[in-house]
Amino acid sequence: MSDARADASPAGRRRAGRARTRLVLGVLLADARRHRLVFLTTLLGVAVGIAVVVAIRLSSQAALESFRGTFVSLTGRATHQLTAIEPMDPARLLELRRAPGVLAVDPVVAATLVVPAASPEAEREAAHRIRPVLSDARGPRALRLVGIDPFQAGPFLELDAEALGEAADGRLFERMMCEPGLVAADRSTLASLGLPDGGDLHVEGPHGPLVLHAVAIDEPRLAAGNPPFLLADIATAQDALGLGDRVLRYDLVLDGDGSDLPLRKGERLDRPERRGERADTMTEAFRTNLQCLGFLAVLVGAFLAFNMAQFAVTRRRTLLGRLRCLGCPGRDLVRGVLAEAALLGVAGGVLGVAGGALLARGMVADVALTVSTLYGPTDGVPVPHLDAVTAAAAIGVGVLATVAASVLPARAAGRVAPIAVAQGASRDGPAPAWLPLLLLALGVLSLVPSGSAAILPAISVLCVLLATATAMPRLLGFVVRHLPRGPVTSLAAGRIERTLGRTGAAAGALVMPLAMTVAIVVMVDSFRAEVSTWTDAVLGADVYAKPLHLELAPETAALSPELVAEFEALPEVLAVDRLRLWEDPRRAPFLVAGARLEMIKRRGSLRVLEGPPLDVIVPRLLDGEALVSEPLANRRGLHPGDTLVLPGRDGDAPVTVAAVFQDFSFDRGYVLLSEDEFVRRLGEIPVRSAALLLREGEDPAALADALAARHPDVEFTTVARLRDEVMAAFHDTFAITWVLAGISTALALVGIVTALLCLHLERRHELGVLRALGARLSVVLRMLAVEAAVIMGTAALAALPAGLALAWILVAVVNTRSFGWSFPMAVDPQALLLLSAMALGASLVAVAVPWTLVRRTPPARLLETRR
Amino acid sequence: MTHATDTVRPSRPARAALPARRRACAFACLVFAVSFAVSSAHAQDGDAARATDLPVGAATDDASSPAPLVDADGFLRAGPGRPIVLPRDHGSHPATRTEWWYLTGPLTTDDGALFGFQATWFRRALVAEPPVSSSPLAVRDVLLFHGAVIDTSSGEQFVSEVAGRANPPWGAAAAERLDVRLFDDVLVDDIGDGRAARLAFAAGDARVELQLDLASSPVLRHGEEPGLSIKGREPGQASWYYTLPRIEVHGTLARHGDAPVAVHGHAWLDHEFGSGQLGAEQVGWDWFSVALDDDTDLMLYQLRTHDGRADTSSGTLHEPGGTTRHLPAERFVIAATGTWTSDESGITYPSGWTLELPDDGLSLVVEPLVRAQELRMQAATGVTYWEGLCRFTGTRHGDPVTGLGYVELVGYGAPIADRFETRPAH
């Protein structure tokens, strides 16, 4: 240090400063080694926080990558796609080729086929579930058959020519064209079906079982689809789907925006969504909400780091004072503390990245299940992969969090006077009062813009959490000041008051997961209650029938007219409601359904949110008006009497909204028409499912079993089972939410235990004095228990209103804006019980360690420990 | 692949979206891996006659004719005893593996501007039997169209290449009558009596629409046995081949999207079908066709071998009086007088020839009107050849003669069979 002082030039001063900082850092690290338990706990807190964020990112990336495959197109170079309600004339190709601005056209026939399950039992098991499932080797698998015209697909295909060139002795496309039923698939896809080198592939088509001959090629792009692709000549696809010479889509490369392309009635020209673009838009709310939960863990970790830094600075006052005595300026102490925090951040970040990669493997199935339930089936359980960007960002977040958390303690360290050598631990104060107020204001302001961006409500949630956490020291001070004063409580209150900054921060770390848990419990309970009553209200039939593979192959799976006629002729059946669905193959903003309205007419199975009574609605529907589900109405601002333009085979045509109804089945929303109106607009689209209304006294379960025995390719479900399935699907949607909330809570508990432990270590000399003055062990233990109870009770007290406020944000803002669903917030006393239980549990855990230490340490030893 | 990227609509800016997007187009090259019907592979397959395998439409209607030659895949190979009968034979012959209709000729505008055109449809059957499928688009035959127009005054060349299946409504090659089409490139006898036809095709930024007066032209049946053109030493290395050498044509030519202008001229129609004509040694050919102003029509070709020798060669001379004479190789001499090297492909072609037919008193000098008439058909076939309008001048029995005709030079860049059989994916 003296050498450094000798050089007075600016460069020399900088060098001297760096040398002093290194010295301070060395001293601090040596101290940390002496208190390695505390240091390791802090490290653990930071690492777990980072691990959670990394795990969320990796697992959601993997799950969404699989989902993104839904929007992958083999003909990805198309600038536009021409589709129509009904299959199109192949002669349309000639017109398109002649049209101005058309540089290339490729006719496409694409649809999903299903490879049946390995066994009838596995098939049934999969079919019982109404929610999309993660397919596994035993269950049925979906495959996307894409038929192209090899002569015209060249400008569109995004496939590796080398892989194609090597396939089938270099004659892949030639063989595809002249060998009906020949398809090409990626080797990995075929291997998962037990055909690594290709072979006969038995699949279910819309008209029954088919045998295709699969050729294995090494082209991962074919496996990137969700479901994976089977590439075929257009004639093979037409044959498999029973389309004759019809074409389902024309892919185009246009010179311009296509506005001058003449369209026939019912045709639509769209720009294809680029890979991932649409998936990212659809899942934005999901991803944001998940990341928000992930950052909860980082916040908890940062609070722990803050807390520990506070403790460290307090504990090191003597050490810091000595350094000041040796001539070390305050700013070097600040730098030293921040450098130590940065090192902690790096170490925590590295550990967090490694832990997160492991954690992601455990979490990915839950995340994929949630994605699958919310957005549609994904093929198999995805595998998360750690990438350098995520790793670097995570370590960056770790450093940022620990350095930011250490700023205030570092400033305190910088202000330590040389005289502190002679002093012990000092009082520390709470955060400035304006900070929680500012955060709260930010949280409220984030809710003001009414757009659908998911990030603003997420920011609001984090602000409310931080506001509550930063308010904890003052709240704790308030509680302590108003505690009924007895000998034990006075002692406990005095101890807390003197360390308000540190105990408050520990309580702040705890309050965040507690509040979030309350919010999630209240939101999920409210949601579940509403879904449950909605399910009871709308499931008006007794037996439901759907094709076995409706979820896997929604465009092609259908109930045959003969089967529906058979249902209608059954003596037990009073009426059959049948549902026809039309959805734009590229996933249009909403779905159009046509039903006979038997359930509504006979059982009143509809919950009208806006509009006239059912007896008025039904005639209007029969006259051609439409029902609009709540998410669609919310998104489009639709109310009864408004009009909505629907696509149709004769072109777009408006429909009047008769009423808005409640629906939780489809977050994009749908329009319900009478069957006649549906057919008039969209044609004879096959019946996707049927609902059987039985006569009085008939047994639904018996009929469902009898029908299932006769029709193995159809799934029959009684209303009771269907209700269970709905609720199970609901539960799956929140699978990952609970995992994350649990991790944050556990992390906070670790934090609070560590904080109390530090507090105990710091002040055990006081306990020794107490014992020496004659205080019985029970008094000391009671004092410790009161201390923990006050901290935990205050955290729980604060968590309740904060949790309710957060629940309101989740229910009224996040759900409505992100998914279009609204439901009343219902506070179940169970939430309060849970909160109390968690606080109690946390208190017990928190007090257990100091108790044990005090019980085992003789008073004399306690007195010895003053530093 | 339709309308090859390098050759079609060159003026459009959005072409940028397409270039180098041909990786997946490689298959079409493979599909057409012998599509000129000149491959050697199937020619070597042996001659196991499987008359029972003959597809419907096999031209074996003459009960007295020898047993038909059928290749290992069940395709009918050209052999003796099958006379060309028109207009029936204008139609497609699905019993054979390959077939082409080749139209070339000069066109003149009212103000005297001279153009040349070429419109060619190749048909290739992938399988002898029609595939079993409920889809009418299941492929048995594929079609390839090459179109070219040359402006002799500016040298501007318009080229296009289209490939597709021969399934209506996208493509067709009708049997028994002249109707071959691939998308909007059409050669059709609407009435079906063989007297007239309509030709419409695009070549790059040019569009040609012509009425063809088929009845105005004589019919040349090539080969020693009229209509059977022997290409190799083995049985079946032959094709059925006839020509309408001077069809009067009139119609319109439009370029660069401008208004069509009236054109007239004459066309040379070659129609040839068979199943594997070239021998293994044969790498390409030089082919000459001209309708001279004294009403003489001449077709000569020489097949070349790996070592540059002229292998099987022959020709047909149609004299003004109406006599048609088969010209065996020894009756004519073809000599190149110069060369031309393509800047695009780097291939050197002969350019300029003398044709000597001493026994027939005919001596001709052949000069290309534009040297750069190379066709780089890379998108679908991956083959590069030279096909161009040439001026033929000389004497017939001492009298000056002249005429416009076409010369085709194939196999100079790479052996045609190698090129087509083994072309790698790019």
Side-chain angles (χ1 to χ4, degrees), chain A residues 297-317:
Chain A
V298 172
L299 279 185
V300 172
F303 256 72
L304 284 184
F306 171 64
N307 199 209
M308 290 306 126
Q310 277 183 317
F311 273 109
V313 169
T314 311
R315 192 183 66 236
R316 293 163 172 171
R317 281 179 68 81

Side-chain angles (χ1 to χ4, degrees), chain A residues 808-852:
Chain A
W808 179 83
I809 295 175
L810 294 180
V811 168
V813 183
V814 173
N815 261 297
T816 312
R817 288 191 194 169
S818 301
F819 303 103
W821 293 316
S822 65
F823 48 88
M825 194 171 106
V827 183
D828 193 324
Q830 275 184 348
L832 306 182
L833 280 176
L834 181 76
L835 180 66
S836 310
M838 284 173 72
L840 183 65
S843 303
L844 290 176
V845 173
V847 83
V849 181
W851 260 28
T852 314

Side-chain angles (χ1 to χ4, degrees), chain B residues 78-94:
Chain B
R82 188 207 179 281
I84 299 291
V85 178
L86 297 178
R88 185 193 69 179
D89 277 326
H90 282 324
S92 176
H93 301 81

